[in-house]
Amino acid sequence: MVKKYSDKHEILYYECDTTETLTLPMLLNIVINTSGAQSDLLNQGTDLVSERGLGWIILHYDISIHRMPVKGEVITCTTAAHSYNSFFCYRNFWVHDASGKECIEMMATFALINLETRKVARIQEDIIKPYECDKVKAIRRNAPILPVTNPKVSEYKVRFLDIDGNRHVNNSKYFEWMLDVLGSDFLTEHRPKNIQISFEKEVEYGNVINSEWNVEYGEKTTSFHRIQVGDTISAEANIVWERA
Amino acid sequence: MVKKYSDKHEILYYECDTTETLTLPMLLNIVINTSGAQSDLLNQGTDLVSERGLGWIILHYDISIHRMPVKGEVITCTTAAHSYNSFFCYRNFWVHDASGKECIEMMATFALINLETRKVARIQEDIIKPYECDKVKAIRRNAPILPVTNPKVSEYKVRFLDIDGNRHVNNSKYFEWMLDVLGSDFLTEHRPKNIQISFEKEVEYGNVINSEWNVEYGEKTTSFHRIQVGDTISAEANIVWERA
C-alpha cells in the first residue's frame, strides 16, 4: 500500500490566464509543491538529499486533464510514490475539486542526479523507503513523444527568475515557452486534454532557447513541441487539445 | 477610521528566486490578491466594477522592504484604502511575519479607467464608500522617479501568460523585465530596500518592449529603469539596493 499525501490549494488570480483558468506551468508548480511537502513530512526533504550531493529531477510527465480548475476554487492535490527501480521513481498526482471530482491525473518519472556531474545516480534505498512504494524491475514505457516536423521557431532567453531554489530552470518554464508560441487565439479557443512531456537536458541561465512547434488539426488536434539549445534537444512534448 | 483587511499566505517555492526569497513580482501578486479579497468581501469585486464599464488600475507603488520573506514563511498581508480624491484612490499594504514584525510597507495609487477608452474615469462615490476611507482634496505627491541616463537596453516580448484575468498585462511583469536585465550576479548580491515605480501606459500582448536600465553604485546603490514600447514610456522605476 503506497503512502498518499494530500494538501489543499486555492487557485489565485496570478496562477490563471486571461480566461481565469489555472495555467499549465502553475499546475506543475502546485503539484511539485505537494510532493515537496510530502518529502518534508517524511524527513526526506531537499536538504537531506542535497547533503548527499544528490537532487531529484523530473524526466517525464503524462498528464490527463478532465477539467482545469479556475480562479477561486480550492483544489485538493494528492500524491504518492507509485514504484521505483534502480534508476527511476514513478510518482502519481491527482487534483480533485471541492466536490471530490477528479480534475487532473498525472504520472511523473523522477530520477536522482549527482548535483556535481548532473548525471543520473542510482536510487538509494533509504531515501525511497519512507514513501513505502514497491521496488519493481520493469522500466515504465511512457507513451512515445512524436517529433515535431516542419517546425516553426521562436526564441526565448532564460531569465534569472526562471531559476528556482534548486538552482535550475523550473520545469514549468518549458511549458511557458511551448505554449506561448501557439498564440492568444489558439490558447483561448482550445484547452489541453492530454500532455506527454519529456525533459532531456537542462537549459541554463542566459541560454537562448528555440521553441519549435507545429499543430496538426483534426479530431484530435495535437501540438508538437521541441525546446532546443543549439543542436541539443532539451525537452519534447505532444499536447492533445479540445475546443474550449 | 479606515477598514483594514488581512489574510495569510504561505510563501511557496515557486514564488521565490534561486535564494529561496520571495520575488518582487510575486510580492505584487500576493498583495493585489489581498486587496481583491477585500473588494470581494465588500461586494465591490471586479464584476461589479466591470459591469459599469470600469476597471481599477495601479499608477504607482512606493515600497519599503525591511526584510523579504522566504520560502515556507506564513505572512499576513493587510490592506486598507487610505483616502481618495476625484480621480485617485490611495491604498496601503503591510506584510508582517509570523512573529508580528513588519517586513514590508507599500503605498499604492489606484485609479478607475473606462474599459473601452482606457482613459481615467472619475471615482464613483458608491464604489468607494464601503472601504470607509476619507475623501481628500489633495493629490498625493509621490517621490519623484529619476530618469535613467545612458541606459543599456534589453528587449522582451509580451507573452500570452503575461496577461491576467483583467485582460491586461499583469503589473508584476514590468518588474520581471526590470529585474532580469540586472543579471544573476547583481541580483544574488543585492536585495531591494526601496522601490518607486510608476505605470504610465499599458503594454499589450505581442508588444516588444525595451527594458532600459542603469545602476549607480555608492552608499545608496540605485538602479534606474524605464520600460518603453517604441517612443512611448510604459513604466519607470528607481530601486535602492543594499548588499545581501
Side-chain angles (χ1 to χ4, degrees):
Chain A
M1 214 22 224
V2 296
K3 199 175 260 181
K4 283 192 180 179
Y5 174 84
S6 294
D7 56 17
K8 286 186 192 297
H9 179 85
E10 183 183 344
I11 308 294
L12 302 173
Y13 83 96
Y14 57 86
E15 298 169 341
C16 294
D17 65 14
T18 178
T19 68
E20 300 197 322
T21 305
L22 179 64
T23 70
L24 270 178
M26 277 298 173
L27 169 64
L28 288 202
N29 286 332
I30 291 166
V31 301
I32 290 303
N33 192 64
T34 302
S35 69
Q38 184 187 35
S39 295
D40 288 344
L41 187 75
L42 300 176
N43 293 314
Q44 297 293 324
T46 315
D47 289 352
L48 180 137
V49 176
S50 66
E51 273 166 23
R52 299 197 189 172
L54 301 172
W56 286 109
I57 59 161
I58 292 151
L59 298 173
H60 187 95
Y61 281 115
D62 177 344
I63 308 173
S64 298
I65 302 170
H66 316 305
R67 181 180 73 79
M68 199 65 135
V70 297
K71 187 183 118 176
E73 280 195 77
V74 176
I75 57 172
T76 301
C77 289
T78 303
T79 189
H82 174 275
S83 56
Y84 72 104
N85 52 42
S86 300
F87 289 101
F88 305 110
C89 175
Y90 305 106
R91 178 177 276 282
N92 292 99
F93 296 98
W94 301 268
V95 172
H96 290 86
D97 65 19
S99 73
K101 209 162 173 187
E102 184 182 291
C103 295
I104 298 160
E105 188 182 6
M106 298 171 64
M107 289 184 287
T109 306
F110 281 70
L112 280 171
I113 57 161
N114 179 311
L115 291 175
E116 258 183 45
T117 63
R118 310 303 285 184
K119 293 231 167 85
V120 171
R122 203 167 264 277
I123 302 279
Q124 298 181 2
E125 300 279 337
D126 63 324
I127 286 180
I128 202 79
K129 195 163 181 284
Y131 299 96
E132 296 180 16
C133 65
D134 292 332
K135 182 158 191 178
V136 292
K137 284 224 164 125
I139 288 175
R140 188 186 286 184
R141 298 263 161 248
N142 293 305
I145 295 179
L146 300 176
V148 54
T149 51
N150 305 316
K152 287 154 266 191
V153 185
S154 287
E155 278 188 3
Y156 294 85
K157 195 170 173 189
V158 181
R159 301 176 182 176
F160 177 71
L161 290 181
D162 295 339
I163 304 169
D164 65 18
N166 295 323
R167 311 259 165 104
H168 68 76
V169 173
N170 185 310
N171 281 97
S172 73
K173 298 297 166 177
Y174 294 78
F175 267 132
E176 289 199 15
W177 303 320
M178 288 175 174
L179 294 177
D180 191 54
V181 296
L182 297 170
S184 172
D185 288 347
F186 185 93
L187 292 168
T188 48
E189 287 163 12
H190 296 82
R191 53 189 166 216
K193 291 297 292 173
N194 289 97
I195 300 151
Q196 298 283 338
I197 184 168
S198 73
F199 301 97
E200 284 151 46
K201 177 102 177 68
E202 292 176 278
V203 300
E204 285 169 19
Y205 173 63
N207 280 171
V208 174
I209 66 96
N210 285 328
S211 180
E212 306 186 342
W213 89 102
N214 212 340
V215 180
E216 276 177 22
Y217 292 88
E219 207 182 319
K220 276 194 169 182
T221 293
T222 306
S223 61
F224 301 85
H225 301 272
R226 183 165 55 219
I227 303 296
Q228 207 157 309
V229 180
D231 289 337
T232 306
I233 297 173
S234 301
E236 290 183 284
N238 294 164
I239 308 177
V240 179
W241 302 82
E242 64 172 10
R243 298 288 296 189
Chain B
M1 211 25 220
V2 295
K3 198 174 261 181
K4 283 191 180 178
Y5 174 84
S6 293
D7 55 18
K8 287 187 193 298
H9 180 85
E10 182 183 344
I11 308 293
L12 302 174
Y13 83 96
Y14 56 86
E15 299 169 339
C16 294
D17 66 14
T18 179
T19 68
E20 301 197 321
T21 305
L22 179 64
T23 70
L24 270 178
M26 277 297 172
L27 169 64
L28 288 203
N29 286 333
I30 291 166
V31 301
I32 290 302
N33 192 63
T34 303
S35 69
Q38 184 188 33
S39 294
D40 288 343
L41 187 75
L42 300 175
N43 293 314
Q44 297 292 320
T46 315
D47 290 351
L48 181 136
V49 175
S50 65
E51 273 166 24
R52 297 194 190 176
L54 301 172
W56 286 110
I57 59 160
I58 293 151
L59 298 173
H60 188 97
Y61 281 114
D62 177 345
I63 307 172
S64 299
I65 301 169
H66 316 307
R67 182 179 71 79
M68 199 64 133
V70 297
K71 186 183 118 176
E73 280 195 77
V74 176
I75 58 172
T76 301
C77 289
T78 303
T79 189
H82 174 273
S83 56
Y84 72 104
N85 53 40
S86 299
F87 288 102
F88 305 109
C89 174
Y90 305 106
R91 178 178 277 281
N92 292 99
F93 295 98
W94 301 268
V95 172
H96 290 86
D97 65 19
S99 74
K101 209 162 176 189
E102 184 182 292
C103 295
I104 297 160
E105 190 183 4
M106 298 173 63
M107 289 185 288
T109 306
F110 282 70
L112 280 172
I113 57 162
N114 179 310
L115 289 176
E116 258 183 47
T117 64
R118 310 304 285 183
K119 293 232 166 86
V120 171
R122 201 167 266 278
I123 301 278
Q124 298 180 4
E125 301 278 338
D126 64 324
I127 287 180
I128 201 80
K129 194 163 182 284
Y131 299 96
E132 295 180 17
C133 66
D134 293 332
K135 182 158 192 177
V136 293
K137 284 227 165 120
I139 288 176
R140 187 186 286 183
R141 298 263 161 246
N142 292 306
I145 295 179
L146 300 176
V148 54
T149 52
N150 304 318
K152 285 154 267 191
V153 185
S154 288
E155 279 187 1
Y156 294 87
K157 193 168 173 190
V158 181
R159 300 176 182 175
F160 176 72
L161 290 181
D162 295 340
I163 304 169
D164 64 19
N166 295 323
R167 311 259 165 105
H168 68 75
V169 173
N170 185 308
N171 282 97
S172 73
K173 299 296 167 178
Y174 295 78
F175 267 132
E176 288 198 16
W177 303 321
M178 288 175 173
L179 294 177
D180 191 54
V181 296
L182 297 168
S184 172
D185 288 349
F186 184 93
L187 291 168
T188 48
E189 286 163 12
H190 296 82
R191 50 186 168 218
K193 291 297 292 171
N194 289 97
I195 299 151
Q196 298 282 339
I197 184 168
S198 74
F199 301 97
E200 285 152 47
K201 176 99 175 70
E202 293 175 277
V203 300
E204 284 169 19
Y205 173 63
N207 279 170
V208 175
I209 66 97
N210 284 329
S211 180
E212 305 187 345
W213 89 102
N214 211 340
V215 179
E216 277 177 21
Y217 292 87
E219 207 181 320
K220 275 193 170 184
T221 293
T222 306
S223 61
F224 302 84
H225 301 272
R226 183 163 57 219
I227 303 296
Q228 207 158 306
V229 180
D231 289 338
T232 305
I233 297 174
S234 303
E236 290 182 285
N238 294 164
I239 308 177
V240 179
W241 300 84
E242 66 173 8
R243 297 288 296 191

